[in-house]
Amino acid sequence: MEQKWWQKSVIYQIYPKSFNDSNGDGIGDLKGLIEKLDYLAFLGIDMIWICPIYPSPMDDNGYDISDYQDIAAEFGSLQDFETLVAEAKKRNMKLMMDLVINHTSDEHKWFIESKASLSNPKRDWYIWRNPKEDGSAPNNWRSIFGGSAWEWDQTTEQFYLHTFSKKQPDLNWENEEVRETLFNMVNWWVEKGVDGFRVDAITFIKKGNLTEDLPTTDRDGLALISHACLNQTGIGDFLTELKQKTFANFDLVTVAEAPGVKPEAMPSYIGDNGYFDMLFEFDHVDLDIGKDGKWFEPVNWSLHDLKTAITKSQTHLNESGWGALYLENHDQPRSLNKFLGEVAEADRSKAAKMLATFYFLLKGTPFIYQGQELGMTNVQYESIDVYDDLASTDQYEMALQAGLSSEEALQSVWRRSRDNSRTPMQWDETTHADFTNGQPWLPVNENYKAINVEQQLKDPSSVLHYYKKLIELRKTSEYSETIVNGVYQSILTENDSILGYTREYAGQKLVVLANFTNSSIQLEELAGNPLLTNYESPFSGRALRPFEAVVLEA
Ligand code: GLC
Ligand code: CA
């Protein structure tokens, strides 16, 4: 396969609300982001993915779009966007937009028209159905953010479908006008200088049988919509058309948020002629929650489960397609807390570097989520009222309904809340970590004096500098080709403490070892030339120290 620019790239994810505020209103914005482009260039970033910046009532922080062809006032203007494109280009950085086309906001003008009357020309742009004979919802699907996936509309006496919140009505992809309008919108952004798209919740666009109940034993009588609407037969026609009429006509990169894609469907998604270039998998990040994603029902997982998920994915990628490598994003807690639980303060930096090493050198394009490069950690707000994320409030309520105490319910939010990763970026040790001169929309994590950019820039042994080294190793060293193209093979597969693998290409072989525990683990003698380690003193070859990670040339 001919090498694509995005296979050699490192992508950095920006959560715009929390990155950098330029005007003191407590909300990050495009001007603030532009101020920090030099920081990202210093790190070695090739492309930034910005979470949605379109006008939105912000019910789901921008994933509820009310106008696809503008910029939200709190983030700036189309002119600021153009400046951002130009400033990024000056630094050889590309731009990836978030494309949210399964649903809009209920405040989008299309939906306002659609709900105006049964005969409105846009009625069929959304999914409307009559109630059952007893007046209840058309079926028993539960939305991802809780409660029925159907919302009653008094004016026209029908229900509309929403996979996510009731302020996020689903578009009707069966309607050709809807599809054409969305495709034109995508092309409009490409003309504006966008180099790629992260395509939100795309495996939901084809719906299952809208009049059928799902079996359930849940107390609310509902069953999660994912069991009926994920990756349904026929979705391929929509995705092929999307690709043909948009992405395929430009030199872009696309990465799909695509839960529910079975291994046998992988080639159609990301194979040589796949709908997308890469997709985000979930097995490795969701191993601590059950299949319906209830936060208060934690799953006991072991390193073995993580290894199995990684090897399954990488083995596929050896055959076909390309990986999107990630540990964190705006929907996930911080990786240190998730993968390692309680880590002593003295071990934090080492542990963060160990996690970085293990995922960054897998086969695929690495994504870094803002603050991950500092080893930022979860937050524990003292009350559910401080949380802004609607999934957190919903999960808290579900936990109470299931009989948990308010303390236990809050603890499950501490563990899993999406706000864990949405706290403001920690720039320095001044008030509010210098994220804003005003009041931040979400409180800064109180550990900002110990974890911040300014201090890590000064410290060559910081997590930040380690990420920079990893990026250099991947992009500009004599091992680049192997890191990009090498075949993955799991090693020490049965070991309970160490995750290990090799990458092999054109006669060169790299060994990556990561100790996930805070104890020393003996190894059988390993011969090799160490290229990188997260300790100051050299790797002994006979044991991995607590949280030690090492990269060797075999
Ligand atoms: C995706 C986004 C998430 C959002 C949801 C609905 O999963 O990553 O943040 O809430 O889609 O748009
Ligand atoms: Ca602002």
Side-chain angles (χ1 to χ4, degrees), residues 292-435:
D292 279 358
K294 294 187 185 121
W295 298 351
F296 59 89
E297 286 175 356
V299 167
N300 274 328
W301 63 277
S302 68
L303 182 61
H304 194 74
D305 302 319
L306 178 61
K307 292 163 97 163
T308 307
I310 298 288
T311 296
K312 191 174 120 207
S313 158
Q314 290 279 302
T315 307
H316 272 289
L317 296 170
N318 278 340
E319 300 296 318
S320 90
W322 194 254
L325 309 172
Y326 77 105
L327 292 183
E328 296 182 10
N329 64 32
H330 63 293
D331 293 330
Q332 293 288 335
R334 291 293 182 176
S335 53
L336 268 172
N337 301 78
K338 184 196 299 170
F339 293 111
L340 301 173
E342 287 293 306
V343 174
E345 177 64 23
D347 289 333
R348 196 191 58 239
S349 164
K350 234 166 226 116
K353 293 172 193 166
M354 181 278 286
L355 291 176
T357 318
F358 118 71
Y359 96 100
F360 212 86
L361 301 173
L362 292 167
K363 185 168 189 179
T365 296
F367 287 70
I368 302 171
Y369 177 74
Q370 66 183 49
Q372 180 187 327
E373 78 278 22
L374 307 175
M376 276 178 66
T377 65
N378 282 354
V379 72
Q380 297 185 349
Y381 296 132
E382 70 278 12
S383 149
I384 188 67
D385 302 334
V386 185
Y387 287 84
D388 184 279
D389 163 31
L390 48 82
S392 298
T393 356
D394 166 54
Q395 292 271 352
Y396 181 82
E397 285 306 320
M398 276 207 294
L400 292 183
Q401 274 165 30
L404 273 74
S405 70
S406 52
E407 229 161 67
E408 291 164 332
L410 188 62
Q411 271 161 15
S412 73
V413 170
W414 286 350
R415 188 175 73 83
R416 257 285 165 183
S417 175
R418 306 195 297 177
D419 282 345
N420 279 314
S421 55
R422 297 177 180 185
T423 61
M425 181 71 177
Q426 293 167 199
W427 294 106
D428 68 24
E429 57 178 55
T430 63
T431 318
H432 303 310
D434 200 36
F435 159 70

Side-chain angles (χ1 to χ4, degrees), residues 92-109:
N92 280 325
M93 243 182 261
K94 296 185 189 292
L95 210 66
M96 175 184 279
M97 288 289 263
D98 218 305
L99 193 62
V100 189
I101 47 181
N102 173 68
H103 47 271
T104 68
S105 162
D106 64 337
E107 297 180 36
H108 195 294
K109 62 174 191 267

Side-chain angles (χ1 to χ4, degrees), residues 94-199:
K94 296 185 189 292
L95 210 66
M96 175 184 279
M97 288 289 263
D98 218 305
L99 193 62
V100 189
I101 47 181
N102 173 68
H103 47 271
T104 68
S105 162
D106 64 337
E107 297 180 36
H108 195 294
K109 62 174 191 267
W110 302 341
F111 188 72
I112 295 173
E113 286 179 45
S114 182
K115 75 173 197 184
S117 71
L118 291 170
S119 59
N120 187 281
K122 292 219 167 47
R123 184 65 174 180
D124 188 48
W125 281 40
Y126 293 83
I127 300 168
W128 293 97
R129 286 294 181 279
N130 286 326
K132 281 185 184 159
E133 261 169 33
D134 65 0
S136 63
N139 67 30
N140 71 340
W141 296 347
R142 185 192 300 116
S143 77
I144 305 276
F145 294 143
S148 171
W150 295 95
E151 183 70 10
W152 177 245
D153 173 55
Q154 195 53 53
T155 326
T156 57
E157 301 195 316
Q158 282 193 324
F159 284 92
Y160 66 85
L161 182 72
H162 58 91
T163 300
F164 295 91
S165 91
K166 63 179 180 203
K167 287 186 66 63
Q168 295 168 297
D170 283 49
L171 283 162
N172 179 14
W173 271 71
E174 306 292 339
N175 181 306
E176 195 185 328
E177 257 184 317
V178 167
R179 299 198 303 275
E180 289 299 328
T181 309
L182 292 174
F183 301 157
N184 290 337
M185 175 275 287
V186 173
N187 293 334
W188 184 85
W189 280 105
V190 178
E191 299 301 325
K192 287 237 165 298
V194 164
D195 307 289
F197 295 96
R198 177 267 186 187
V199 192

Side-chain angles (χ1 to χ4, degrees), residues 21-23 25 27-29 74:
D21 174 23
S22 71
N23 63 353
D25 66 355
I27 299 173
D29 45 54
E74 49 273 66

Side-chain angles (χ1 to χ4, degrees), residues 283-284 287 300-313 339 358 488 490-500 514 516-517:
D283 285 0
H284 70 296
L287 40 66
N300 274 328
W301 63 277
S302 68
L303 182 61
H304 194 74
D305 302 319
L306 178 61
K307 292 163 97 163
T308 307
I310 298 288
T311 296
K312 191 174 120 207
S313 158
F339 293 111
F358 118 71
Y488 166 94
S490 159
I491 56 169
L492 301 175
T493 309
E494 297 308 318
N495 191 298
D496 297 330
S497 313
I498 298 173
L499 186 152
F516 273 67
T517 73

